[in-house]
Each structure stands twice: as C-alpha cells, then as structure tokens.
Amino acid sequence: MALLEIKDLHASVADKPILKGINLTINPGEVHAIMGPNGSGKSTLSNVLAGNEAYEKTAGQVLFDGLDLDELAAHERACAGMFLAFQYPVEIPGISNMYFLKAAVNAVRKYRGQEQLDAMDFLDLVEDKKKVVKIRDDLLERAVNSGFSGGEKKRNEIFQMAMLEPKLGILDETDSGLDIDALRIVSDGVNALRGPDRGFLVITHYQRLLDYIVPDFVHVLVKGQIVKSGGKELALELENEGYASWVGEEGV
Amino acid sequence: MKIENEKSFDEIAEKEYKYGFVTDIESDSLPPGLNEEIVREISRRKNEPEWLTEWRVKAFHHWTTLEQPQWAKVEFPPIDYQAVSYYSAPKRKIDAPKSLDEVDPELLETYEKLGIPLREQEVLAGVVAVDAVFDSVSVATTFKGKLEEMGIIFCSFSEAVKDHPELVKKYLGSVVPYKDNYFATLNSAVFSDGSFCYVPPGVRCPMELSTYFRINAANTGQFERTLLIADEGAYVSYLEGCTAPQRDENQLHAAVVELIAHKDAKIKYSTVQNWYPGDKDGKGGIYNFVTKRGHCRGDNSKISWTQVETGSAITWKYPSCILKGDNSVGEFYSVAVTNNMQQADTGTKMIHIGKNTKSTIVSKGISAGRAQNSYRGLVRVQETAENARNFSQCDSMLIGDQCGAHTFPYIDINNPTAQVEHEATTTKIGEDQIFYCNQRGLDTEEAVNMIVNGFCKEVFRELPMEFAVEAQKLLGISLEGSVG
Ligand SMILES: Nc1ncnc2c1ncn2[C@@H]1O[C@H](COP(=O)(O)OP(=O)(O)OP(=O)(O)O)[C@@H](O)[C@H]1O
Ligand SMILES: [Mg+2]
C-alpha cells in the first residue's frame, strides 16, 4: 500500500485557487523531492496535507497510510504519523522546548495506544535522538523556537521529527537558512531516519541538499501543477536551466 | 476542507457548568430588602454584641449616602438592592454540629461534588485545615484543636465575635473602614459570616489554612467578611477557593478581606475564584465586588496576594497592600481569565509609606470570546517612603479577535528616591501557533491549555502546590472551546 496517495488535488487559499490538480504517490521507503519557483504552491501543498484550516481543499482525494485525510483533523494526522518540518517554524513563548516535546510525544503515543513516557524515559529518548540530530541543550531548555536563529529553528524541526518518529516527513525548505555544517548535520539526521517503512517529501530550491539527501524521485511544481517528474538527475538539470521553459519570461 | 473533529466554540460554551447544581436544603432566610431593621435583625439573629450592631447600623446609614461607583470598565444592568435577601443560613439544630458526623449529609454530599473531601482531609491530618462555609454560616471546622494548642485561632467570624470579641473589636475595620467604598460599606452593614484567623507572636502556622466558599440559596447576596492577623514574627498561608452552582438571576457578592501583618510577620493569601460566570450570552453569573486589603503594619512585614480568577460574570477586585512598616514588602500575583461575556476589572494598589518598602506586581490577563479584561493598578509612593521600589509587569493575552484587554496603570510618586518600573505586553494566541501544536499531535484544547499555562507560569509558581494543579485545571475548563 502506498504511504501517500494524492489524487487530483485542488486547493485554495483565501478563495484563490493555488493547487490545480496534483497527483503524487509516495511508497514506503521512498524520498521524493519537490522543486519549483517561488509561489508555485509548495508550502500550500504541505499545509493542505498537514490539515491547516487556513487552506481549503476544493477537490481530489488524499490517502495517507490508507486513511482518507478528510476524516482526520490536523492533530490526528500528526498522531497517525505525518510530520511537517515548517518553512517558517512559529515561536511559542513561555513553553520550554522539552515540555512541548514531552507533551507531543505523549499525545502521539496515546493516539497509538502506547504507554505514556515518564520523565526518565523521556530524557533517555532525548539523549538517544540527540545522537541523530545534534542540538544544543540550551535550545531544549528555552521556549519553543523563541529567539532561535533561523538555522536553529530548522534544526529544532528535525530534532522534533526524530523524536516523533513519523511515517512521512515533509520537509519544507528545511535547508534554507542552514550553514554548511548544519546542512550536513540535518541531512545526516534525515538519512539516519530513512528506512523501508518511512517516506519523505523534501521541498527545496537547491540541488545541493539533494547531494546529501539523495531522492528517488524529483518533481517540478509550477503554478499548482506537477509539470515534470524524474530521477535525481532532474534536479541537476533544473539547476542549469531554471524554470524558464515552464513559467515563460514574466515569471510565475 | 473543514475539519469537524475539533470541539466547536458553541458546543463547549453550552456545556453545562460543571458545578451547576443546587442543594436542596431549606434556608432560613430573611425577606428581600434592606433597611435599618433588617441590619439589626441580622445582628440579632447572630446574637452579636451591641457595639457590632451599632457598627453595622452606622455602615448602613453611610451606605445610603453613597452611589454605586461607575469608574470600572464593566457594564451591567442596575442592581436592585431591595430585591436581594441579605441573610440566609442553612436550618440547623439549636447547637452547631461538633463533628462532621453531625453535619447534614446532603451538605457533605455537596462538598464532595465540589471536590472538597472534608472527611479525607480530616484523615490526612495536618495538610489543610478547612473552615468550610456553606452559604453564610460555618458548618464544619477541622483541625481547630491542633491549631489551638499553638495559640492559633482559626474559626468562623461569628465564633470569633463570640469567643474573641476583643480581637475582633480591635481589628475589624482597621484596614478596610466601614466608609471605605460602596461595596465594602454594604458588606459592613450586612456581612453574614466568614473566617477569622489570629496567629500569635512568633508562631508559624504549620499548615495551609483554607476556606471554601459557595453561594447557594437562590437570590441571596453573599457578604463574607474575613479578618486575618499575623502578630509579631508570625507566619500564615491562607487559601481561599470557591465555586458556585448554576443560576439564572444574577447574584451579588461583596466580600471584604482584611489582613494585618505586624512586625516581622508574613501573610500569604491565595485565591482561586470560580464563581458561576454566566452562559455564553452573558445570562446569569455572579457579580463579584470584592474589597481585599492588607496592612503591613510593622517593620519587615510582608503580605503576598496570589489570585487566579476564572469565574464570575463581573469581577471588580483590587487586593492591595499598605506598606506602612519600614522594609515591608507587598506582592500581587494575578491570573484573570475572562471568556464569553465575562468582564473583569482587577488589579492592585500598592501604597508605600514606610522606608525601603518594596512591591511587586505580576498580572496576567487572558481574554477569550467577547470578554473584556482590564488591569487597573495604582502604585503610590508617599513623601515618607524613602527608597521605595516597585516592579510591575502586566501581560495580556487575547484568544480570538472579539475580546478586549486593557491596562490602566496609575503611578503617583511623591518621593524622588523611588524606583518604579512598569512593563506591559499584549500577545495573541495565533492560529499559526495552534496549528503548529496540532501538527505535533496536540489537539486544540491541549494546545491552548499549554500556551495559556506557559503564559501564567510566574503566577502559578506562587501558589501552594495542590492549588497550582487545581488552578491549571480550572484555566483549562474556563477556556475550553475558545479556539477552534
Ligand atoms: N494566506 C494567504 N493569502 C493569500 N495568498 C496566499 C496565502 N498563502 C499563500 N498564498 C499565495 O499562494 C501562492 C503559493 O504560495 P506557497 O507558499 O505555497 O508558495 P511556495 O511554492 O511555497 O513558495 P516559496 O518557494 O516562496 O516558499 C502564493 O502566490 C502566495 O502568495
Ligand atoms: Mg514555501
């Protein structure tokens, strides 16, 4: 069974149609990359998948792990194993990152019928995951994303992903804002999470990320539609030629 | 793609008030109305000494010359003071119950529904002493014996009048005089009962003292009077918590609390207030007009107010400190939550009189639905208050875009050595924050709870442990369905 099956997905934001018939299937174990010009609908796609109510799905169907996404609220999708690493992670003042993570991990575990982690087990898990995605202790103590640098926020997203062990990780431009070392650390983290049961949807503007996280498929999203799909060489092609042949001279 | 799984606003707002039930106990009430004869009758029924009767009568006459204050940012229809019944006591046998076994079982059941396990508390000796107030008259007092051994007097106000008239006479009205303000004056005339506590010199009260208030008999105003004295070097921590049953007509509540801290004494007064707030359209709910004031009478004394206010249709409340003793300290930590049609105008007054006096104000106002939440605070430094210090922090949080938060800080400095700092912030719980939490597996209610509790952390830290847990739960209940 496919992990994610998007069939003719249409979606609008503020009554403006953005996604105009997306078809995409991700099988367990696969990494798919999506590239495309600014404003083409990449973040819209990730928000629609994650169930952000600011985005309205107007047509089509999405099955996640066999479940119709229409039946699931945002938090249920997360609990069912969908994780979105945000392009712009929000700050939540007053709540420590650790506290937040513990609540999240236990919410997910509860949904899956697993036992709640107590403080000790939770700390063990944190130590474990810190080996996968290196993150400074002070960032874990501080309020969620509050005053984090751009790169620190992105790294925190990947750390959260490691903690929550999702089935599908959607990475929305996780590479932008990362320095070269951080890019490697984050990529190593993602690669460590790769496995036969897990899939990734990696949104990026830069072929460089795909040197680290090597995709099985690359899709080009332009004006709300996937205009071309191919293997990892397609990313190189795009790097050289840009999107001109699809968007024309005037841009998007 | 509209997701229906989240609980909707309406659904929760209509959810029955958790503590909305009415106990079926016959009340021994006076007919509605207020005049000198009623005031005298209240005093007579309580077998009060003449000086107290006359004090009430003076207060009553003064009250008739006053007008209800209009300055607070709250709106409500005029109150018909003649339609209120000013005295209600549960019927009981000639002598008061000596133990819980003698207490009306139905009453005990009510307390149990409210989650006040009196019996258990008696067994769990030494944790909390409860002077439980049902309506206006005390029905059960525990741990009295143990406290008595230490010389601590903790009893109902009526008992104090009977057994310790000299203390009551000495301190009653010494912090909040009967002429203080409209509602305090009304209370002085008609107060029914309340709690009294005296901690003798050098004694540290070994347990948290607590009182649970609740309003019952229909259309009965509540006029509690609390008087707490910490003598030289004494310490006491007092908890006040209340919840009220559901009502259709508005209920008037005008309590007075007076605290006196002598030299080197410390008083910590914590409140969790959860009177019935009315339904989502603003129907019903308690009108809560409270005068709470502490007097740091001696040098090095300290009074600390902590309040978590989630209930009432209208809250009008400014727990204050008069810092008379040199080096005395006043603190005010407050969380005020308003949802739906609730209105709160609350804050504090810190009056610096002595040298090197210090005050801290931390106020967290949370507003949801169509509610209005105002912080109103006064910091006054008198000429005599050399080196006074104040730090105020007033933070507001808005949930949704139909509610309001307002801050009215008044600062009045009459001594150039004063240092006064004021910080204020307003934040909004954004849809994007909620979605971020949702995306990590937390449902919307959990997310709101978490964000709000994080916002209030500094205040909850000041509450005694078991109260802090209760307060967090209350906050959750109060804000259920405010986003989604
Ligand atoms: N809340 C909104 N209101 C109006 N328009 C919106 C809103 N959110 C997104 N859009 C529009 O939808 C289009 C797609 O935006 P989206 O964020 O999906 O692009 P993107 O492909 O992720 O771009 P980028 O590469 O810059 O991140 C843009 O034209 C954007 O302006
Ligand atoms: Mg984007």
Side-chain angles (χ1 to χ4, degrees), chain A residues 13-14 16 18 37-44 55 87 173 205:
Chain A
V13 192
K16 185 174 136 199
I18 306 290
N38 295 132
S40 57
K42 303 182 296 298
S43 295
T44 301
Y55 297 76
Q87 184 174 2
E173 295 197 27
H205 285 295

Side-chain angles (χ1 to χ4, degrees), chain A residues 47 52-53 56-57 73 75-79 82-84 86 90-91 94-95 100 103-104 107 145 157 160, chain B residues 1-3 5-6 432-433 435-444 446-447 450-451 454-455 457 472:
Chain A
N47 274 289
N52 187 340
E53 289 190 51
E56 193 193 357
K57 171 171 167 261
H75 73 275
E76 293 169 320
R77 299 178 191 196
C79 290
M82 183 186 289
F83 184 94
L84 170 57
F86 287 83
V90 301
E91 305 194 355
I95 299 160
F100 177 75
N145 293 325
E157 293 291 285
Q160 291 186 16
Chain B
M1 176 174 49
K2 193 79 194 140
I3 291 142
N5 299 46
E6 305 287 346
D432 53 343
Q433 285 175 325
F435 178 59
Y436 189 84
C437 295
N438 289 159
Q439 217 303 304
R440 298 301 182 251
L442 302 165
D443 70 28
T444 298
E446 287 171 311
M450 177 185 281
I451 293 172
F455 178 70
K457 207 160 52 186
Q472 283 193 16

Side-chain angles (χ1 to χ4, degrees), chain B residues 34-81:
Chain B
L34 185 55
N35 53 46
E36 183 176 332
E37 198 32 53
I38 292 272
V39 173
R40 289 191 181 278
E41 180 60 25
I42 292 170
S43 195
R44 191 155 37 238
R45 288 202 182 188
K46 298 170 72 63
N47 292 315
E48 285 175 353
E50 204 191 324
W51 65 266
L52 191 50
T53 311
E54 294 313 317
W55 193 76
R56 287 176 179 275
V57 170
K58 269 193 299 188
F60 169 71
H61 285 300
H62 183 67
W63 182 74
T64 58
T65 69
L66 300 176
E67 300 225 350
Q68 191 183 293
Q70 302 293 341
W71 46 262
K73 195 170 168 47
V74 292
E75 278 170 34
F76 53 92
I79 298 168
D80 181 357
Y81 289 93

Side-chain angles (χ1 to χ4, degrees), chain B residues 257-306:
Chain B
V257 176
E258 297 180 275
L259 311 182
I260 295 115
H262 286 289
K263 189 164 176 287
D264 300 320
K266 288 185 174 51
I267 300 176
K268 188 172 170 59
Y269 194 103
S270 314
T271 307
V272 169
Q273 186 268 119
N274 183 30
W275 302 109
Y276 178 54
D279 69 12
K280 68 178 198 317
D281 299 315
K283 192 161 182 287
I286 305 299
Y287 288 4
N288 194 26
F289 302 100
V290 191
T291 305
K292 288 185 166 175
R293 194 173 304 152
H295 197 196
C296 284
R297 207 159 277 188
D299 294 348
N300 316 315
S301 55
K302 177 175 175 181
I303 290 179
S304 180
W305 297 102
T306 307

Side-chain angles (χ1 to χ4, degrees), chain B residues 172-235:
Chain B
L172 177 67
S174 72
V175 185
V176 181
Y178 73 81
K179 287 187 172 176
D180 195 80
N181 71 72
Y182 189 83
F183 298 110
T185 302
L186 177 63
N187 174 287
S188 302
V190 302
F191 72 87
S192 37
D193 211 334
S195 296
F196 177 88
C197 179
Y198 171 82
V199 186
V203 172
R204 192 185 161 85
C205 185
M207 56 186 97
E208 315 271 1
L209 300 180
S210 79
T211 310
Y212 290 89
F213 295 93
R214 86 184 285 261
I215 294 179
N216 200 283
N219 208 21
T220 301
Q222 280 286 297
F223 304 96
E224 307 286 347
R225 187 103 199 175
T226 300
L227 183 53
L228 230 136
I229 303 124
D231 215 325
E232 281 196 24
Y235 167 85

Side-chain angles (χ1 to χ4, degrees), chain A residues 13 19 24 37 45 62 70 153 182 198 226 239:
Chain A
V13 192
L19 301 183
L24 179 66
L45 176 62
V62 185
D70 284 353
K153 284 181 184 167
R198 203 168 270 149
I226 290 178
E239 183 109 316

